[in-house]
């Protein structure tokens, strides 16, 4: 009788699988971000005891966390019991010009939504709704604290997005820029800071823009910006803009809803106006960047949305009376520029 050969034990594959599926990593990064460990190390390495006192942390536990993160090049043990920053850990400083700290401070309701991914894979419905019994945006409307935390996460890559969009087009030609769904206004404030003659309009839900005045005051652009509360899904978009920015907005919504947003923008803009879409996208079903595929999966989980290909972007633009002018690939996201047909 033939006997089945036992499979060869592929130790590297096992170790790699454990590394790829390590759900502990993002939560450990989140914990050290909450303790502001990277900020304490900005001036150089510190002994674990001193670092724990500065962060109000338990020294043995903090040491274990940093040694674990050092295996992923996040922090470095430069000497026994002494830790310093690595290039990746440096990005976790709150004062870094391209700080990624807030990205890891997503509200717990969002991370809990991942528990329902099997429901999403079976039905195509958002895991957030399945786990919490309510849509993400409706939840944030009822729980402003979670909404503010999510808004900070979305602002976490604003500096990198600004660099991307500046390289994609000549923004000095625009007198007024309307940031549709612009959250707390950080992106618009940074843009206005680059162009002293530019004026801006921030448009988002009332609870979302509540903290925007503080953002604009800190940036010194209050006299050049107007805050208009409203929903881009149901309300009229502010008119008079030379450029309308949709930054990480449309991939959260269905084609019908996204087309509706673009139609409202088309009704508000002049024939010479421009629309800019900045979000992860796909060249085709088969060709996509790792970042686009990650965002595609994330938006599917949170809102049953997802990244679109250029052809799909053209289709929703055409449905709103707009046409694609240029699609510029940047290290961050592709930047799509469109104009009225």
């Amino acid at each position: 009788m033939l006997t089945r050969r036992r499979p060869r034990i592929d130790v590297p594959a096992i170790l790699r699988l454990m590394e790829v599926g390590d759900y502990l990593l993002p939560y450990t990064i989140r914990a050290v971000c909450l303790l502001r460990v990277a900020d304490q190390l900005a001036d150089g390495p510190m002994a674990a005891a001193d670092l724990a006192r500065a962060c109000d942390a338990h020294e043995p536990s903090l040491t274990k966390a940093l040694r674990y993160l050092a295996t992923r090049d996040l922090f470095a043990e430069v000497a026994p019991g002494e830790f310093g920053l690595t290039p990746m850990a440096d990005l976790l400083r709150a004062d870094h010009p391209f700080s990624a700290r807030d990205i890891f401070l997503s509200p717990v309701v969002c991370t809990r939504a991942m528990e329902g991914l099997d429901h999403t894979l079976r039905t195509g419905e958002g895991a957030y709704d399945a786990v919490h019994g309510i849509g993400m945006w409706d939840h944030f409307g009822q729980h402003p604290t979670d909404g503010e935390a999510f808004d900070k996460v979305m602002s976490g890559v604003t500096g990198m997005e600004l660099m991307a969009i500046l390289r994609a087009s000549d923004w000095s030609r625009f007198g007024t820029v309307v940031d549709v769904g612009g959250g707390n206004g950080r992106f618009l404030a940074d843009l206005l800071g680059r162009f002293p003659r530019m004026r801006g309009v921030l448009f988002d839900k009332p609870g979302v823009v509540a903290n925007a005045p503080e953002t604009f005051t800190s940036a010194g652009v209050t006299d050049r910006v107007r805050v208009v509360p409203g929903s881009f899904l149901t309300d009229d978009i502010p008119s008079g803009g030379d450029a309308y920015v949709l930054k990480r907005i449309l991939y959260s919504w269905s084609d019908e809803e996204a087309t509706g947003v673009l139609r409202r923008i088309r009704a508000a803009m002049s024939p010479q106006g421009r629309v800019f879409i900045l979000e992860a996208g796909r060249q085709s079903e088969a060709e996509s960047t790792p970042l686009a595929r990650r965002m595609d999966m994330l938006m599917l989980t949170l809102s049953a949305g997802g990244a679109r290909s250029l052809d799909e972007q053209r289709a929703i633009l055409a449905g709103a009376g707009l046409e694609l002018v240029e699609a510029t690939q940047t290290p961050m996201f592709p930047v799509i520029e469109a104009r009225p047909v």
Side-chain angles (χ1 to χ4, degrees):
M1 182 177 65
L2 295 176
T3 59
R4 181 176 299 178
R5 293 181 59 187
R6 295 180 62 184
R8 181 176 62 88
I9 299 176
D10 190 339
V11 175
I14 294 173
L15 294 176
R16 178 57 178 159
L17 177 61
M18 294 175 65
E19 180 183 357
V20 170
D22 184 7
Y23 61 83
L24 180 63
L25 180 61
Y27 286 98
T28 309
I29 299 174
R30 174 189 174 87
V32 298
C33 286
L34 287 169
L35 293 175
R36 295 184 177 270
V37 173
D39 295 304
Q40 298 297 335
L41 297 174
D43 294 328
M46 294 176 65
D50 296 331
L51 183 58
R53 279 192 294 273
C55 297
D56 193 22
H58 180 243
E59 178 190 343
S61 300
L62 180 61
T63 299
K64 289 182 180 181
L66 293 177
R67 282 178 173 160
Y68 164 61
L69 293 176
T71 66
R72 303 299 185 89
D73 295 323
L74 274 160
F75 300 96
E77 190 169 9
V78 298
E82 184 178 354
F83 296 93
L85 297 175
T86 61
M88 281 198 293
D90 194 47
L91 293 169
L92 300 180
R93 288 168 33 215
D95 63 347
H96 192 286
F98 298 108
S99 175
R101 175 180 179 269
D102 288 339
I103 296 174
F104 296 96
L105 300 182
S106 181
V108 176
V109 290
C110 291
T111 56
R112 273 203 60 208
M114 307 298 171
E115 298 171 8
L117 262 174
D118 59 316
H119 173 81
T120 297
L121 298 185
R122 290 189 182 99
T123 67
E125 300 170 354
Y128 195 104
D129 302 54
V131 170
H132 297 294
I134 187 174
M136 182 174 67
W137 304 115
D138 291 334
H139 174 95
F140 291 161
Q142 297 177 16
H143 300 84
T145 301
D146 287 337
E148 290 175 11
F150 185 78
D151 197 39
K152 285 185 179 180
V153 173
M154 293 295 98
S155 298
V157 292
T158 292
M160 291 178 280
E161 290 172 331
L162 180 65
M163 293 300 99
I165 207 166
L166 288 176
R167 293 174 183 175
S169 188
D170 175 18
W171 286 79
S172 63
R173 59 187 163 134
F174 300 124
T176 299
V177 174
V178 181
D179 192 353
V180 179
N184 63 10
R186 181 181 166 191
F187 176 82
L188 186 58
D190 289 348
L191 186 63
L192 295 178
R194 291 284 183 132
F195 300 97
R197 297 182 180 180
M198 182 181 287
R199 305 188 72 83
V201 179
L202 177 66
F203 180 72
D204 211 329
K205 289 186 175 180
V208 177
V209 300
N211 296 323
E214 180 181 343
T215 301
F216 295 132
T217 299
S218 298
V221 298
T222 304
D223 60 329
R224 293 189 285 123
V225 67
R226 182 165 58 99
V227 178
V228 180
S231 168
F232 52 70
L233 291 175
T234 57
D235 297 331
D236 291 338
I237 307 292
S239 61
D242 301 302
Y244 288 79
V245 178
L246 288 161
K247 184 169 62 67
R248 283 181 283 113
I249 299 295
L250 298 183
Y251 63 10
S252 295
W253 304 97
S254 68
D255 287 353
E256 181 180 359
E257 290 164 324
T259 301
V261 174
L262 291 168
R263 282 175 181 154
R264 278 182 279 279
I265 292 176
R266 174 65 183 88
M269 66 192 301
S270 71
Q272 293 76 37
R274 291 290 188 270
V275 177
F276 289 88
I277 301 172
L278 178 64
E279 61 187 33
R282 298 178 277 107
Q283 290 296 324
S284 65
E285 288 296 333
E287 298 179 22
S288 182
T289 65
L291 177 60
R293 290 183 177 179
R294 176 180 176 274
M295 296 305 298
D296 202 8
M297 192 66 192
L298 179 61
M299 299 319 299
L300 173 65
T301 304
L302 296 179
S303 63
R308 293 182 173 89
S309 68
L310 281 181
D311 286 342
E312 290 169 334
Q313 295 280 17
R314 286 190 181 93
I316 62 172
L317 286 167
L322 299 162
E323 63 180 356
L324 190 147
V325 175
E326 189 173 7
T328 304
Q329 185 63 50
T330 75
M332 188 64 194
F333 292 143
V335 178
I336 291 176
E337 180 178 349
R339 65 187 176 195
V341 174

